[in-house]
Amino acid sequence: MTAPQMIAQNYRDHGHGTAQDRVVLDYAGRFLRRKVLTTEGGERLLVDLAQTTSLDHGGVLVTQTGDEIQVLAAPEPLLEIRATDLTRIAWHIGNRHTPCQIEADRLLIQHDHVIRDMLGLLGAEVSEVIAPFTPEGGAYGHGRTHSHDHGHSHGPSHEHSHDH
């Protein structure tokens, strides 16, 4: 097996519009510390971050030469939830620490038959869709919600200034 052609040891939650390539990863794949990825351009990229990080759609991995590799959310199977009282439904989903993408007229979650059954009992319309999954971050606006499958923190590791 050939060695990776690029190494990324830094991540930023947004790029500067100059990405040289892209990686497309599903929700689970965007949670990593060290892994070899293949870019859309066919390049092998070793991601070697200091800590396990939740990569956001639109974020960038920064290579050892300063190149930016944009991170995109891949389409994946999800449950689409619609309801008259979407706020109430969102509360029930959040109460179960389930990652949820919140939009004006729908919610998106990963497949979970128990939550699907609960939502049906609450009067929600649930259907299967294929879409990129970009759920809300944790309570403090960064990283993943602290679901039952991992209980460690995901603090930001952002080291450049913002000129806004």
Side-chain angles (χ1 to χ4, degrees):
M1 182 172 276
T2 60
Q5 298 164 331
M6 298 181 287
I7 299 172
Q9 294 180 310
N10 293 297
Y11 169 74
R12 292 194 302 257
D13 62 2
H14 66 280
H16 294 117
T18 58
Q20 282 71 33
D21 209 337
R22 305 185 318 181
V23 291
V24 181
L25 305 167
D26 65 11
Y27 182 66
R30 293 193 318 269
F31 187 66
L32 56 91
R33 190 196 77 72
R34 183 176 169 88
K35 185 174 185 178
V36 175
L37 304 174
T38 302
T39 69
E40 282 190 331
E43 302 290 327
R44 290 172 44 82
L45 170 68
L46 170 62
V47 177
D48 188 16
L49 303 173
Q51 63 188 23
T52 302
T53 303
S54 179
L55 309 180
D56 296 323
H57 174 79
V60 292
L61 293 160
V62 183
T63 69
Q64 75 277 18
T65 61
D67 289 344
E68 293 183 350
I69 308 299
Q70 186 177 38
V71 176
L72 298 177
E76 58 187 290
L78 301 171
L79 294 178
E80 177 185 75
I81 300 119
R82 296 183 184 269
T84 305
D85 190 352
L86 208 52
T87 303
R88 178 173 168 256
I89 299 299
W91 183 89
H92 281 283
I93 291 169
N95 193 43
R96 280 143 186 89
H97 303 278
T98 299
C100 182
Q101 182 173 328
I102 301 170
E103 298 179 2
D105 62 344
R106 71 178 185 169
L107 305 173
L108 294 171
I109 63 170
Q110 294 176 307
H111 280 268
D112 182 315
H113 70 277
V114 173
I115 292 180
R116 182 182 190 141
D117 292 346
M118 174 201 69
L119 294 172
L121 292 172
L122 293 170
E125 296 175 26
V126 182
S127 58
E128 295 182 13
V129 298
I130 304 288
F133 188 46
T134 57
E136 291 294 312
Y140 299 99
H142 294 285
R144 304 206 170 203
T145 58
H146 293 286
S147 65
H148 298 142
D149 52 345
H150 55 271
H152 47 276
S153 66
H154 309 282
S157 59
H158 199 292
E159 300 180 320
H160 72 284
S161 65
H162 298 269
D163 298 323
H164 296 282

